[in-house]
């Protein structure tokens, strides 16, 4: 079975709809006929300011949310990145193969370091995509399910894999990004030109999966819509409505075209009211299940431990090959 691998940062108390529709839902689907590795990227989380206690809590919350949304610990290895030292170790090797200019060109680094200027960003933020490449390459996955914002990091990953393979010996598989066109980028409800994001969106622009469902419903009902009153899918001229249609279609399973037909002659308010109801019925059981799981920390820890064991087996074998091929002397 082909392998899939992906990760998510524990940088918020809750996942949001962009994470879920852009990536996590695909994780759930792909686990059925693939060999899945999913991890919580806590090493990446310390490239910006963090609080140790909050980080630890969010890591467990992330695990609970993954299980609650349907990642099955019997099918998937769910693990915490920092528990597998090979990630940091391979990243160090790849650091030596990456140009400084190449790292600086990553748009995420440019965006995240734009605020205070490059000088105030951490070096971790610069090498972030190189660690991400290590995360991926260690497991030799066929597919990496992510949102559109990760495409550039996947390209760097492929470049580094190819560079290593041609300079030393074929070691890494070149992974394919798995990005679903329809939901590759979910937009901010208040600013539909920007992506929904935990760091960039205003509180009303982002729908959090663990938020009080009534509050999420309210956010949907007060989403910014566009001029005119016709409901149609037109991301250029009607980005607000189009974003709502995308979310509606993804949650209901109905096609965007079917929805547009259904809402012909109706107003934005009708669409938003129905989507708000749909969101409530979707997040309510998710939230209950997550809270239940969080009450059973022993179970969560056991899932993560089992995941780490599976991950270790694969990652350590790849790292051994790498260390040998780059010329590190083997311990006796
Ligand atoms: P992170 O934690 O920011 O986001 C997790 C996943 O959610 C997707 N996503 C979105 N998709 C569509 N629309 C949005 N508005 C939206 N916001 C977020 C992201 O594309 C991502 O798939 N660098 C990664 C974490 C990572 C990783 C990896 C991923 C570390 N190592 C190895 C894959 C493979 C990140 O910051 O994701």
């Amino acid at each position: 079975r082909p392998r899939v691998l992906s990760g998510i940062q524990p940088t918020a108390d809750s996942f949001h709809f962009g994470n879920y529709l852009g990536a996590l839902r695909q994780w759930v689907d792909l686990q059925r006929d693939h060999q899945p590795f999913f991890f919580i990227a806590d090493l990446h989380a310390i490239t910006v300011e963090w609080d140790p206690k909050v980080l630890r809590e969010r890591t467990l919350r992330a695990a609970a949310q993954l299980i609650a949304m349907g990642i099955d610990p019997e099918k998937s290895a769910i693990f915490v990145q920092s528990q597998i030292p090979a990630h940091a170790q391979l990243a160090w090797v790849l650091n030596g193969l990456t140009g400084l200019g190449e790292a600086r060109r990553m748009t995420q680094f440019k965006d995240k370091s734009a605020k205070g200027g490059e000088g105030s960003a951490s070096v971790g933020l610069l090498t972030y995509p190189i660690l991400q490449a290590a995360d991926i390459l260690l497991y030799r996955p066929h597919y990496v399910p992510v949102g559109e914002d990760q495409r550039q990091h996947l390209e760097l990953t492929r470049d580094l894999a190819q560079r290593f393979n041609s300079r030393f010996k074929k070691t890494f598989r070149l992974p394919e990004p798995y990005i679903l066109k329809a939901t590759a980028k979910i937009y901010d409800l208040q600013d539909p030109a920007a992506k929904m994001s935990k760091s960039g969106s205003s509180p009303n622009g982002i729908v959090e999966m663990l938020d009080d469902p009534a509050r999420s419903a309210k956010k949907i009902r007060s989403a910014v819509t566009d001029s005119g009153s016709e409901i149609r899918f037109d991301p250029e001229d009607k980005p607000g409505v189009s974003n709502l249609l995308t979310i509606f279609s993804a949650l209901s399973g109905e096609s965007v075209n079917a929805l547009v037909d259904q809402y012909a002659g109706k107003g934005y308010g009708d669409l938003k009211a129905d989507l708000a109801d749909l969101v409530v019925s979707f997040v309510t059981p998710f939230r209950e299940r997550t809270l239940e799981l969080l009450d059973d920390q022993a179970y969560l820890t056991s899932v993560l431990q089992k995941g780490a064991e599976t991950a270790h087996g694969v990652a350590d074998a790849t790292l051994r090959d790498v260390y040998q091929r780059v010329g590190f002397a083997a311990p006796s």
Side-chain angles (χ1 to χ4, degrees):
R1 285 185 305 163
R3 261 191 205 156
V4 290
L5 168 134
S6 198
I8 184 160
Q9 295 192 75
T11 42
D13 288 338
S14 170
F15 297 159
H16 60 71
F17 268 55
N19 299 137
Y20 179 66
L21 298 177
L24 303 174
R25 226 162 62 116
Q26 284 64 261
W27 298 15
V28 176
D29 289 343
L30 289 168
Q31 72 181 336
R32 238 173 297 125
D33 36 22
H34 292 76
Q35 194 190 343
F37 293 85
F38 299 126
F39 67 94
I40 301 157
D42 56 348
L43 296 177
H44 280 106
I46 66 164
T47 56
V48 292
E49 278 303 312
W50 81 99
D51 174 321
K53 181 165 170 278
V54 174
L55 177 60
R56 198 170 292 122
E57 268 166 27
R58 286 175 170 174
T59 299
L60 280 186
R61 282 174 86 85
Q65 290 177 82
L66 291 178
I67 299 167
M69 73 178 48
I71 303 294
D72 177 355
E74 298 297 322
K75 295 197 183 105
S76 297
I78 308 172
F79 62 97
V80 177
Q81 184 189 30
S82 63
Q83 293 178 7
I84 313 295
H87 290 239
Q89 292 170 302
L90 177 59
W92 182 256
V93 173
L94 297 178
N95 275 337
L97 293 175
T98 311
L100 186 52
E102 199 175 20
R104 274 222 179 88
R105 271 198 297 283
M106 295 288 118
T107 53
Q108 187 191 276
F109 173 69
K110 289 198 277 188
D111 292 347
K112 288 198 179 175
S113 61
K115 258 188 256 147
E118 202 187 273
S120 67
S122 71
V123 174
L125 208 53
L126 178 68
T127 59
Y128 179 118
I130 306 170
L131 175 59
Q132 181 163 350
D135 297 337
I136 298 169
L137 297 176
L138 276 177
Y139 298 87
R140 301 181 168 117
H142 297 73
Y143 303 107
V144 182
V146 286
E148 182 62 38
D149 60 351
Q150 298 301 312
R151 190 184 289 280
Q152 197 186 32
H153 291 165
L154 264 292
E155 278 161 16
L156 177 73
T157 302
R158 290 171 59 93
D159 288 347
L160 291 175
Q162 206 147 28
R163 198 169 302 162
F164 188 100
N165 287 350
S166 64
R167 173 135 172 223
F168 304 100
K169 181 176 177 209
K170 186 165 181 332
T171 305
F172 299 124
R173 170 175 282 123
L174 266 55
E176 298 286 343
Y178 184 93
I179 301 175
L180 283 197
K181 199 157 172 267
T183 50
K185 190 167 178 185
I186 302 296
Y187 295 88
D188 184 317
L189 297 182
Q190 291 299 318
D191 175 11
K195 75 167 179 186
M196 185 181 287
S197 126
K198 44 201 164 194
S199 51
S201 295
S202 68
N204 284 333
I206 177 173
V207 184
E208 287 174 310
M209 312 261 303
L210 290 177
D211 204 352
D212 173 5
R215 212 167 95 100
S216 296
K218 204 165 154 217
K219 290 183 186 180
I220 298 281
R221 285 195 304 265
S222 53
V224 163
T225 32
D226 317 287
S227 56
S229 60
E230 192 198 350
I231 293 175
R232 93 189 126 80
F233 188 76
D234 181 347
E236 284 276 304
D237 286 341
K238 291 186 169 263
V241 175
S242 301
N243 189 39
L244 295 178
L245 284 167
T246 298
I247 297 173
F248 203 143
S249 163
L251 289 182
S252 67
E254 292 169 278
S255 71
V256 166
N257 284 340
L259 289 170
V260 168
D261 287 346
Q262 242 168 274
Y263 284 92
K266 296 190 181 168
Y268 293 157
D270 301 309
L271 176 76
K272 291 201 262 186
D274 292 346
L275 178 56
D277 289 346
L278 186 60
V279 164
V280 168
S281 60
F282 174 73
V283 294
T284 302
F286 168 77
R287 189 170 182 250
E288 280 166 12
R289 181 77 187 114
T290 304
L291 297 178
E292 255 170 44
L293 285 160
L294 280 171
D295 269 342
D296 193 351
Q297 306 249 327
Y299 171 71
L300 287 180
T301 322
S302 75
V303 166
L304 293 173
Q305 172 162 1
K306 183 166 157 266
E309 280 162 22
T310 309
H312 257 300
V314 178
D316 296 353
T318 308
L319 188 75
R320 241 189 331 271
D321 289 348
V322 168
Y323 269 25
Q324 195 262 327
R325 287 165 194 181
V326 301
F328 293 159
S332 57

